[in-house]
Amino acid sequence: MRISMELYALCGLVTLSTLGVLYVTYLLRKELSSMHGMVFSMAIAMGTGLFAGTLAGIYFQGSLFLSTVAGIAIGAGIGLLMGALFSMLAVLEGLLSGIMAGMMGAMLGEMVLPQHWDQTLILMYATALSVCALISIETYRILKKKVKWLQVYQHPAVMGMLLVFLCLLAVILGPFFPDADLHRHMPHH
């Protein structure tokens, strides 16, 4: 299957958002509670695992094993990294959430019809970005007394407009799978 440059851009945005959240959380981990660590690791593993698993399920169409392994590896890896910043319980939470999300994303990507690949991927993209935004909002809310310039980003309207813009950008960038037309008329198992 041919991969479009637009798909690389979409994956790059999710990767940058995830790495940004991991970096900010790393810098501020002493200010956050262990409950934050557990929830953050579960959420980021779920968002990235669903996105990666769905993408792998679409890309490795017909090989559920390969797409499941790819989705699980990415989701569990991100959950493990985030959890490692906090505690062993957070590691466990992130790891298990990443495994489940990667597996579910792979099944979704494998089952969705080719004519819906782009819409499904945009939905998972929006989910992953929303998780990153919510973690950012919570982190900024905790730290707003210490770092004044962060207050503007904490406002849900600003984050909401940013998410809407990034999702519209994804819709405009598409189609992500130009070869999907070749698969539309093939029987789906």
Side-chain angles (χ1 to χ4, degrees):
M1 175 183 304
R2 188 169 64 97
I3 296 185
S4 67
M5 290 304 292
E6 292 84 2
L7 184 57
Y8 285 121
L10 198 69
C11 292
L13 284 171
V14 170
T15 302
L16 285 174
S17 298
T18 302
L19 290 176
V21 166
L22 283 169
Y23 181 68
V24 168
T25 305
Y26 169 74
L27 291 176
L28 307 171
R29 69 190 179 282
K30 290 183 174 57
E31 308 293 328
L32 302 168
S33 69
S34 65
M35 181 58 83
H36 282 102
M38 289 176 61
V39 172
F40 287 3
S41 62
M42 177 183 66
I44 199 99
M46 183 273 307
T48 55
L50 278 173
F51 178 79
T54 302
L55 179 60
I58 291 170
Y59 184 74
F60 297 119
Q61 196 71 197
S63 179
L64 186 58
F65 173 75
L66 200 54
S67 58
T68 302
V69 168
I72 285 174
I74 292 171
I78 296 296
L80 182 82
L81 285 173
M82 179 65 92
L85 299 175
F86 295 95
S87 68
M88 193 53 145
L89 278 177
V91 167
L92 185 61
E93 186 81 30
L95 193 63
L96 294 176
S97 296
I99 289 170
M100 183 58 86
M103 195 176 357
M104 297 303 286
M107 287 189 284
L108 174 65
E110 182 71 32
M111 292 186 296
V112 73
L113 295 174
Q115 59 263 33
H116 300 295
W117 284 351
D118 284 345
Q119 295 93 335
T120 304
L121 199 59
I122 288 172
L123 182 63
M124 294 302 110
Y125 164 79
T127 301
L129 283 185
S130 296
V131 166
C132 289
L134 290 171
I135 290 172
S136 298
I137 288 171
E138 178 61 15
T139 304
Y140 296 152
R141 186 190 66 76
I142 291 167
L143 300 172
K144 71 181 177 182
K145 296 178 184 97
K146 297 180 178 167
V147 185
K148 294 293 183 195
W149 66 271
L150 291 176
Q151 288 180 356
V152 71
Y153 296 108
Q154 185 241 343
H155 198 280
V158 173
M159 290 304 265
M161 288 188 299
L162 181 63
L163 278 174
V164 168
F165 170 75
L166 289 172
C167 290
L168 286 174
L169 179 66
V171 171
I172 292 167
L173 281 175
F176 304 108
F177 301 99
D179 297 341
D181 288 331
L182 302 174
H183 298 284
R184 288 177 206 253
H185 303 293
M186 294 174 64
H188 193 70
H189 53 279

